[in-house]
Amino acid sequence: MDKMLKDLKETMDNTVLKELDFTEINKSKVRKKISNANFAKAKNTRSLYPRILSLSFTCIFLIGLSYFMIHTLNQREEPISSHSDKNNVGKNNSIITPPHQDENYEDMKKEDILSKLLNTVDNFQTASGAYEMFDRYYDGSTSNNNVEYKFSLKEEIGGYEKIFNIPDEFITDDPITTNEIFFNDEAIWNIDNDRNTYSTSNYEVTPKRETVEPKDVFSIPINKLYDSEEKFREIPAIGDVSLFPYEMAAEYLRSSNVWEIERQNEELLGHNTIVLHGEINEANKNIMQPDKKSFRFWVDKDTGILVMYEFYDEEGQLISYLHPKELSVNVTIDAKEFIPKLENYNSMQHYSDIQYEDPKEKDISIVESADTNVEEVESVLVTLRSEVPFLYEFTSSDVKIFSASLERYKEFNQAYLTYSYKKVGNDLGSGSQVLYVRAYPEESVVSSLNDFNTEKGNKIDSFTLNEIKWEVYEIKDSKEAHFIGVSGDYEYEMITQDVSVADAKLLLKTFKKSAPNE
């Protein structure tokens, strides 16, 4: 019996009496019960011991149970917020658990889906996923990346993107390279896994902007879309094209007559998408991918996320795509994942912290610049002719202007020009034969972070043409040449790319002072 009672006590101690505060007052009540006169007057005291002990533990059990029930009821009557706070004590506050995201199965109109695509930031809190992105260019070269990402847009703001660059199939011995970008509301880390290096810079969260209307976004010229970030909705430090497809929507869906809703509901990776199909008009022609003729977008109906896209040539062959491998929206995320582990990496200088050859270079600003688009380049040229009275330009029909830029150091203006030389009709971009030219006052400060910052070799020629005294230098470890000229208080430079010194010298005969704007 003693053993049984001992076991009973231990069992009760570990269950209903666990954590019970059995005070001296409680004990006194039990003793009072045990010393009841009915027990004291009993003649055969020894025979009552087991019954007394049994009764005592029964009393203890009843008193303890009553205390336990009262204590529990009091807890239930506490305010919910107080109860929640107690449960959260000591927990990991970096865990982000957004509300569940429901799929949308209602039919959508064009204006509905455009509004979703241009305001995705309002429609989800966290996202994680992976996809493959592929592009084939005009010259047959390819770009192929596998991307993994996680983002949190509220509470603990941050995310990461891991990019695995797959080598071009036609380039032998080209290794796979990896790059990772992490960020939170204070910093951005850019990690090069192949070199075991990283750079860090400060980050400030972009303030929330108002919902944008499609008509306002579509008013931005196509060639200015990627230079008009402030006119779109806010995005985090890493603007993933799938989660924040603002520019793509503005570029390919601005003309409602060139695209249509192909299917209202199509499941993709557990998400209900709306499928859009359209043609690419001449205004959207990409010089790097001129064969793009049509496209198909799969858009998540409840968030506007561009889950998948494909671009096709005239024969319907894929030449560009984003194919998703996984996509989860409003999933639980630990914000600690947004801080990289850098124990085995070496810190490298971030671009913003680069030490220029001359600290004054930080004061150089780009006033106006354009390339590729002929009309825009001509517009900058008009400005240059007005603001840079010492400007010289080529008049030879063998060279065509490709880019123009006006830069400024304090009150000194500088001109930067890029010319294509003997560019053939099917050669895209600037072509392979290029001349880089710049002009500036001798008192000005010019940038050391461009094509003109060369390590010069032997001087190979000197001459004077059109009032400019030229000296020609070899560029170390290169077949190209660096021309340096002086005329009065102004300096001129020219760098060749696949243009011989002899041909460049002949062209300088046509390098003449610009005529003023009419």
Side-chain angles (χ1 to χ4, degrees), residues 455-509:
E455 186 175 350
K456 300 173 187 63
N458 296 325
K459 179 179 175 180
I460 55 179
D461 201 356
S462 61
F463 53 87
T464 300
L465 285 172
N466 300 323
E467 300 180 345
I468 299 178
K469 296 180 180 179
W470 292 98
E471 293 183 343
V472 187
Y473 296 87
E474 295 176 338
I475 296 178
K476 192 173 181 181
D477 300 324
S478 169
K479 62 179 181 180
E480 311 302 348
H482 192 158
F483 290 69
I484 300 176
V486 177
S487 178
D489 296 329
Y490 305 104
E491 292 193 14
Y492 302 84
E493 293 183 66
M494 182 173 71
I495 300 290
T496 65
Q497 177 182 300
D498 291 339
V499 180
S500 69
V501 172
D503 285 349
K505 187 174 179 179
L506 286 174
L507 288 171
L508 283 176
K509 291 181 179 181

Side-chain angles (χ1 to χ4, degrees), residues 23 30 63 66 72 136 145 165 196 206 277 295 323:
T23 65
V30 173
I63 293 169
S66 299
T72 302
R136 186 178 297 280
N145 298 317
N165 300 298
N196 276 24
T206 305
H277 180 265
F295 64 87
H323 285 171

Side-chain angles (χ1 to χ4, degrees), residues 248-259:
M248 287 193 71
E251 181 173 358
Y252 295 104
L253 303 178
R254 62 174 47 214
S255 300
S256 61
N257 61 331
V258 301
W259 64 277

Side-chain angles (χ1 to χ4, degrees), residues 390-404:
F390 51 90
L391 182 70
Y392 274 64
E393 297 176 66
F394 286 108
T395 60
S396 170
S397 59
D398 285 336
V399 293
K400 302 293 182 185
I401 188 72
F402 177 75
S403 71

Side-chain angles (χ1 to χ4, degrees), residues 362-393:
K362 291 184 178 180
D363 296 325
I364 300 172
S365 62
I366 298 176
V367 180
E368 195 172 339
S369 182
D371 61 24
T372 308
N373 186 286
V374 176
E375 292 181 359
E376 291 181 9
V377 173
E378 286 296 334
S379 176
V380 176
L381 273 175
V382 170
T383 304
L384 286 171
R385 290 167 187 148
S386 173
E387 300 293 327
V388 184
F390 51 90
L391 182 70
Y392 274 64
E393 297 176 66

Side-chain angles (χ1 to χ4, degrees), residues 118-339:
L118 295 170
N119 296 281
T120 59
V121 69
D122 289 336
N123 305 325
F124 67 95
Q125 182 172 338
T126 66
S128 66
Y131 58 79
E132 179 187 5
M133 183 183 290
F134 175 85
D135 287 284
R136 186 178 297 280
Y137 302 105
Y138 73 97
D139 58 359
S141 62
T142 62
S143 170
N144 193 2
N145 298 317
N146 286 327
V147 180
E148 298 175 3
Y149 63 84
K150 274 190 181 180
F151 288 93
S152 173
L153 306 181
K154 299 175 184 177
E155 296 181 18
E156 296 285 342
I157 295 176
Y160 67 74
E161 192 171 67
K162 301 178 181 181
I163 304 170
F164 305 87
N165 300 298
I166 311 301
D168 190 312
E169 57 186 328
F170 297 111
I171 300 178
T172 57
D173 300 325
D174 194 13
I176 295 176
T177 59
T178 59
N179 182 264
E180 299 181 37
I181 303 174
F182 291 75
F183 78 97
N184 59 20
D185 58 358
E186 295 182 350
I188 303 174
W189 297 267
N190 197 313
I191 302 171
D192 186 338
N193 286 314
D194 305 297
R195 296 180 177 85
N196 276 24
T197 60
Y198 73 94
S199 62
T200 307
S201 60
N202 294 330
Y203 174 60
E204 292 184 8
V205 177
T206 305
K208 183 177 175 61
R209 298 171 184 164
E210 295 297 322
T211 300
V212 298
E213 297 294 332
K215 61 181 179 62
D216 296 328
V217 172
F218 295 162
S219 67
I220 305 171
I222 287 179
N223 58 300
K224 294 292 185 180
L225 284 179
Y226 295 90
D227 298 323
S228 306
E229 181 181 324
E230 73 285 351
K231 296 184 180 180
F232 292 97
R233 288 302 305 275
E234 70 277 10
I235 60 174
I238 312 167
D240 185 87
V241 68
S242 176
L243 302 180
F244 313 100
Y246 307 152
E247 287 88 353
M248 287 193 71
E251 181 173 358
Y252 295 104
L253 303 178
R254 62 174 47 214
S255 300
S256 61
N257 61 331
V258 301
W259 64 277
E260 62 183 2
I261 297 174
E262 190 173 68
R263 291 184 294 279
Q264 277 286 346
N265 297 290
E266 182 170 310
E267 185 177 338
L268 184 59
L269 291 178
H271 297 274
N272 190 45
T273 68
I274 187 168
V275 185
L276 316 178
H277 180 265
E279 303 296 323
I280 298 176
N281 56 35
E282 194 64 26
N284 292 54
K285 190 173 182 179
N286 187 322
I287 63 170
M288 297 303 291
Q289 295 177 304
D291 294 333
K292 281 184 176 179
K293 300 299 180 184
S294 62
F295 64 87
R296 187 169 277 113
F297 292 168
W298 285 258
V299 182
D300 184 29
K301 293 180 77 171
D302 55 289
T303 64
I305 291 173
L306 186 56
V307 183
M308 183 166 84
Y309 68 70
E310 293 182 344
F311 288 89
Y312 315 94
D313 62 17
E314 202 160 11
E315 287 74 39
Q317 299 296 314
L318 267 176
I319 58 174
S320 177
Y321 62 77
L322 183 152
H323 285 171
K325 298 178 180 178
E326 56 182 278
L327 171 63
S328 299
V329 176
N330 278 10
V331 291
T332 299
I333 289 178
D334 188 346
K336 289 181 179 178
E337 296 181 71
F338 304 153
I339 301 176

